[in-house]
Amino acid sequence: SSGLGGGVPIRQADFCPTDTSVVCVSGNGVLRFLRVVEGAFRPMALALKRDPQNFMCHGWLPEDRIVVATDTGELLLIENFEFRMVLPTSPLNNE
């Protein structure tokens, strides 16, 4: 199961610009990567290891990296379908 049923609000879904068989789906408590295999979406493993969050949007970066924004202002860097880090926010110290 992809975990996308049951009325979960999805805010964004789009294809990877360098691999159109991969889709990222994000929303409230949902961050999933899916691969199109034989005309159907199949869930991909994602090593996030974080509490569920309200993901507001995401954007693809070069080299199949993706940045995901949360409702608390965190920017998460995902690389090779693994959580890498929370990016430093700007401006610094809320200035």
Side-chain angles (χ1 to χ4, degrees):
S1 167
S2 66
L4 299 178
V8 174
I10 301 300
R11 289 196 176 81
Q12 184 177 351
D14 56 9
F15 287 90
C16 173
T18 59
D19 182 352
T20 57
S21 71
V22 175
V23 177
C24 181
V25 177
S26 60
N28 190 358
V30 175
L31 181 60
R32 301 277 189 277
F33 289 92
L34 307 169
R35 185 176 297 279
V36 179
V37 179
E38 296 177 0
F41 290 107
R42 305 281 187 229
M44 298 174 63
L46 172 62
L48 191 55
K49 295 184 179 82
R50 294 176 59 89
D51 290 335
Q53 293 180 273
N54 189 2
F55 300 106
M56 302 303 290
C57 61
H58 62 263
W60 290 97
L61 299 173
E63 300 174 14
D64 296 339
R65 293 178 297 169
I66 195 162
V67 171
V68 183
T70 71
D71 64 345
T72 61
E74 286 186 315
L75 297 175
L76 310 180
L77 178 64
I78 309 292
E79 189 174 53
N80 297 321
F81 310 107
E82 291 184 18
F83 170 72
R84 292 293 185 213
M85 71 173 73
V86 175
L87 295 174
T89 56
S90 178
L92 296 176
N93 301 323
N94 297 320
E95 295 177 0

